Amino acid sequence: MKPFRIEIPQADLDDLRDRLDRARWPRQLPGEGWSRGVPVDLLRELDDHWRTGYDWRLHEARLNEFPQFVTEIDGHDVHFLHVRSAEPDALPLVLTHGWPNSFVEFAGLIGPLTDPAAHGGDPRQAFHVVVPSVPGFGFSAAPSGPGWDTARVARMWAELMRRLGYDRYGTQGGDLGAYIAPEIARLAPEHVVGVYVISGLGFPTEADVPEMDEAERAAFAALMSADWMHGVDHHALLRSAPQTFTYGWHDSPLAALAWMTQKFHDFSAAGPLEKAIDRDLLLTNVTLYWLTGTFGSSSWTYYDSSASAWPAGQKAVPTGVYSGPPGIRRLAERHNTIVHWPADNPSGHHFIAMDRPDALAADMRAFFAKVS
């Protein structure tokens, strides 16, 4: 394992600023709010901050405060953070980010997990935290060919934890991580004490409707009417022509910013994007994608699939879920042994690690206290 530091060449930052300065802006199309996509006025404001107010070097330095490493697994370099707690009996925990996110997703969560006493928690519920970058994201090498799936990534994570000397550990994931985290338990149940999923388990489908009661039908109706179910269909887009769209994201930071802003807006369940997520944190994620050139390679889970489906989970070890609705516990229990399903957690599940890291950390501690 080789120590790693983020050290972006100044020339790359200068090129980014130059491209932003020379952006060719379109006119606003007719329509209210987000009805035609990201509003020009909103994106101009965010772009202006990216050009003149955002400081990558500041956030680069903050990210470099976390110990980082690169190791080769399955023929691919894997970048990861490894932050050990000062508490000797801390539980090892591997966190898996989603799309369109990165390890940046967990920047505010690591402290509450590794040092709960400093964040109002019980020091006996501390974690040693491992945050790998999924292949094709950030500083991890991209998949070298077709045919990759979440089970292959799960095998890489299990091997990573073995190399780090962790025999018993927990797994966590949201979005793409909600598929990978259960796969680790299915692959290595003797090593995983529990799986914690942000959201996605027990999501109903049309096939479940005939067996639903009134409350479950209401949950299904809420799911089908949710804003994030009716945004840009990135599944279809990235399955059909990811290379075509990658040209724009890779060459134009304005196009990249618009795409990321659209998807973060679509996925934000905690109200307006500008109120839900700190804009510097959002821009750090966008800048990381830009500087590493990973807009195309990070979409491999979509272009290697023929259809989309909700994560199913596993029954090998106990499962905890941060956010239930619109998931239905009864449906989740078909494929999972659910031991933790709180009904009163703060909303905003898709980006809760960025929006409410303290609330997420507290709930994770509650779950893993039950299973470890």
Side-chain angles (χ1 to χ4, degrees):
M1 296 188 182
K2 299 175 290 186
F4 179 87
R5 283 181 60 81
I6 306 171
E7 295 177 330
I8 299 300
Q10 185 59 42
D12 291 354
L13 300 178
D14 294 341
D15 175 71
L16 171 58
R17 174 63 182 272
D18 178 64
R19 289 170 183 264
L20 289 170
D21 286 341
R22 294 185 294 104
R24 184 174 181 231
W25 284 87
R27 291 186 294 272
Q28 176 64 56
L29 301 179
E32 296 294 323
W34 288 74
S35 62
R36 299 292 185 265
V38 184
V40 172
D41 287 348
L42 184 149
L43 198 68
R44 276 191 178 276
E45 182 179 350
L46 191 57
D47 171 82
D48 183 65
H49 179 65
W50 199 12
R51 289 188 303 109
T52 64
Y54 175 78
D55 184 354
W56 166 261
R57 291 299 186 200
L58 173 65
H59 295 280
E60 180 184 70
R62 288 175 176 171
L63 293 174
N64 277 330
E65 291 175 2
F66 298 120
Q68 300 174 64
F69 304 86
V70 171
T71 189
E72 184 181 310
I73 303 176
D74 194 14
H76 292 74
D77 283 345
V78 174
H79 163 261
F80 65 98
L81 313 185
H82 184 203
V83 188
R84 289 186 58 84
S85 172
E87 302 298 330
D89 296 324
L91 176 70
L93 177 64
V94 57
L95 310 178
T96 304
H97 63 80
W99 179 95
N101 228 311
S102 65
F103 73 94
V104 171
E105 177 179 357
F106 300 119
L109 181 64
I110 293 172
L113 292 178
T114 57
D115 188 7
H119 297 266
D122 186 342
R124 294 172 297 180
Q125 295 179 333
F127 299 90
H128 301 308
V129 174
V130 179
V131 185
S133 293
V134 174
F137 291 74
F139 300 105
S140 282
S144 56
W148 278 66
D149 57 16
T150 54
R152 184 167 180 176
V153 179
R155 288 193 294 272
M156 297 172 77
W157 281 195
E159 171 60 16
L160 175 60
M161 297 302 277
R162 186 196 68 79
R163 292 186 189 183
L164 292 172
Y166 294 138
D167 184 62
R168 295 284 285 168
Y169 51 87
T171 71
Q172 179 274 344
D175 189 80
L176 175 59
Y179 298 82
I180 295 172
E183 285 289 348
I184 304 172
R186 187 178 291 111
L187 174 70
E190 69 279 12
H191 297 295
V192 177
V193 301
V195 174
Y196 183 90
V197 174
I198 297 295
S199 185
L201 298 181
F203 275 25
T205 67
E206 289 284 356
D208 300 310
V209 172
E211 298 180 0
M212 290 182 183
D213 60 26
E214 184 176 349
E216 292 172 344
R217 288 175 185 267
F220 180 64
L223 170 64
M224 298 309 293
S225 63
D227 288 344
W228 56 273
M229 287 285 288
H230 300 281
V232 176
D233 188 353
H234 60 281
H235 289 268
L237 184 154
L238 294 174
R239 281 200 300 268
S240 60
Q243 186 69 61
T244 300
F245 296 101
T246 298
Y247 293 114
W249 302 325
H250 190 81
D251 186 64
S252 167
L254 183 60
L257 179 63
W259 174 239
M260 281 290 202
T261 303
Q262 177 72 57
K263 294 319 301 177
F264 270 71
H265 166 79
D266 290 348
F267 291 158
S268 178
L273 176 61
E274 60 271 21
K275 295 182 179 180
I277 299 175
D278 176 79
R279 64 179 178 176
D280 271 18
L281 189 57
L282 171 64
L283 287 173
T284 298
N285 191 64
V286 177
T287 308
L288 178 68
Y289 271 73
W290 172 265
L291 294 172
T292 56
T294 50
F295 284 97
S297 61
S298 64
S299 65
W300 62 265
T301 57
Y302 300 102
Y303 60 73
D304 267 355
S305 66
S306 58
S308 58
W310 301 120
Q314 51 75 46
K315 277 186 171 287
V317 305
T319 294
V321 178
Y322 174 83
S323 179
I328 298 172
R329 180 167 182 166
R330 175 181 64 82
L331 300 182
E333 287 176 337
R334 294 181 299 189
H335 305 291
N336 300 270
T337 303
I338 304 291
V339 300
H340 184 79
W341 187 282
D344 56 354
N345 278 334
S347 62
H349 60 79
H350 205 92
F351 298 118
I352 193 67
M354 304 175 82
D355 177 32
R356 300 289 296 273
D358 288 326
L360 177 57
D363 197 64
M364 292 175 67
R365 289 194 291 267
F367 165 66
F368 283 106
K370 297 176 182 178
V371 298
S372 60

